[in-house]
Amino acid sequence: MNFKGKKALVTGSGGGIGKSIALLLADMGADIAINDVSIKNAQKTAKEIISKGRKALVSNADVVKNNDVKEMFKTIAAEFGRLDILVNNAGITRDSLLMEMEENQWDQVMDVNLKGVFLCCKYAAKMMSEQQSGKIINISSASAQIGNIGQANYVASKGGVISLTKTLAKELARYNINVNAVAPGYIRTPMTESVPEKVKNYIISQIPLNRAGKPEEVANAVAFLASDMSVYITGQILSINGGMYV
Ligand code: NAP
């Protein structure tokens, strides 16, 4: 896989899975627009990309805010002139049992995890349709496929990402834009760090490969879907879950 000359945007790439994706695409030759609400973390990722000899843009756009996203895409158009790959990775959890879940916990998670994907897809599609090419990869979750106690908001948002992916794959195929999603299982990142040890051990006991996944293992699958090796794949959900859901 070779991404020389390709321009990519990875949302939420200041850390965790997004950072691994950005670094891998850069290793393979792409220039990357790094987005994260934490400008400091975004700058750290950008520094590593520049040290690999690639170009990096930094944006602290909040993917929930239409104007922020619009400005981020304007900058990408001005600085990169095109966008070949969009990875919608930014995501949050606000876990709670349904009966205790506050309205704002529901709204925040739906906003970042689903509305954020909609907004970035919308602006990316405008650029990619003019180019008559593009790859969009959305990060869903195994929890959307199997359900998870305490995550009604998160699971609904990630299920929405799966449905959105399938629809956009059909809608954007005429512009030669592939839209796919990955559904990671349990991956060791800052997002899952706060899970109590007892719960972590239980989750791992349910995984046939008997371990948590690594962010780099998700990045490998994303790179495949961003590459020319997957040109005839669209509207698919690729599981990276150690067999947790088959
Ligand atoms: P993470 O380490 O928390 O990374 C998420 C990143 O998104 C953070 O850097 C975060 O910034 C950023 N972000 C949050 N809200 C944002 C917004 N409104 N606009 C722009 N950036 C925003 O989590 P991760 O585990 O790497 O997760 C990455 C993606 O994989 C998420 O979509 C997640 O749902 C999905 N996923 C993760 C797992 C897992 O086991 N870890 C499993 C399945 C799916 P701050 O930290 O500064 O807020």
Side-chain angles (χ1 to χ4, degrees):
M1 287 186 266
N2 187 341
F3 294 110
K4 240 189 188 134
K6 303 276 186 195
K7 313 293 180 190
L9 164 63
V10 186
T11 67
S13 50
I17 293 170
K19 182 173 183 174
S20 288
I21 294 168
L23 293 178
L24 181 62
L25 296 180
D27 275 337
M28 293 173 163
D31 295 326
I32 319 282
I34 303 297
N35 157 258
D36 205 285
V37 274
S38 158
I39 188 84
K40 263 193 180 166
N41 289 345
Q43 282 165 342
K44 275 190 206 159
T45 306
K47 225 175 158 184
E48 287 186 47
I49 283 169
I50 291 163
S51 75
K52 293 174 187 292
R54 308 293 354 137
K55 284 190 191 132
L57 296 179
V58 170
S59 160
N60 66 344
D62 179 341
V63 294
V64 174
K65 296 185 178 147
N66 186 37
N67 276 343
D68 279 21
V69 176
K70 204 171 171 178
E71 282 308 309
M72 173 168 68
F73 277 87
K74 261 193 195 164
T75 307
I76 291 170
E79 299 289 327
F80 281 171
R82 59 183 292 114
L83 184 69
D84 301 289
I85 300 159
L86 164 66
V87 183
N88 281 305
N89 165 81
I92 59 169
T93 51
R94 297 287 183 270
D95 296 352
S96 170
L97 292 172
L98 176 71
M99 285 187 273
E100 277 111 51
M101 189 175 285
E102 300 291 344
E103 190 179 353
N104 72 330
Q105 288 176 288
W106 176 271
D107 288 344
Q108 283 171 15
V109 169
M110 293 301 283
D111 274 355
V112 177
N113 295 7
L114 190 52
K115 182 184 170 190
V117 177
F118 151 66
L119 286 175
C120 290
C121 284
K122 175 178 159 172
Y123 290 105
K126 288 185 180 183
M127 288 179 78
M128 291 173 173
S129 60
E130 279 170 26
Q131 298 161 192
Q132 287 288 310
S133 70
K135 297 276 202 167
I136 297 176
I137 298 106
N138 299 323
I139 313 294
S140 180
S141 170
S143 62
Q145 298 164 311
I146 54 183
N148 201 17
I149 293 169
Q151 286 199 311
N153 49 0
Y154 182 79
V155 168
S157 71
K158 294 294 185 180
V161 168
I162 290 176
S163 301
L164 182 64
T165 300
K166 293 184 181 191
T167 287
L168 296 188
K170 291 187 175 183
E171 193 169 318
L172 301 178
R174 74 195 72 173
Y175 305 111
N176 195 30
I177 300 170
N178 301 58
V179 188
N180 290 292
V182 297
Y186 177 62
I187 313 295
R188 243 182 242 291
T189 69
M191 184 182 268
T192 49
E193 235 164 47
S194 59
V195 174
E197 211 54 40
K198 226 173 133 182
V199 178
K200 278 184 192 166
N201 291 339
Y202 173 74
I203 298 171
I204 288 169
S205 76
Q206 303 300 301
I207 301 173
L209 285 179
N210 201 32
R211 65 171 175 86
K214 299 175 192 160
E216 297 78 10
E217 291 165 336
V218 179
N220 288 338
V222 171
F224 166 67
L225 291 172
S227 78
D228 290 343
M229 295 180 79
S230 57
V231 282
Y232 200 55
I233 298 176
T234 198
Q236 303 305 309
I237 317 303
L238 178 54
S239 290
I240 308 139
N241 62 21
M244 180 186 206
Y245 169 77
V246 292

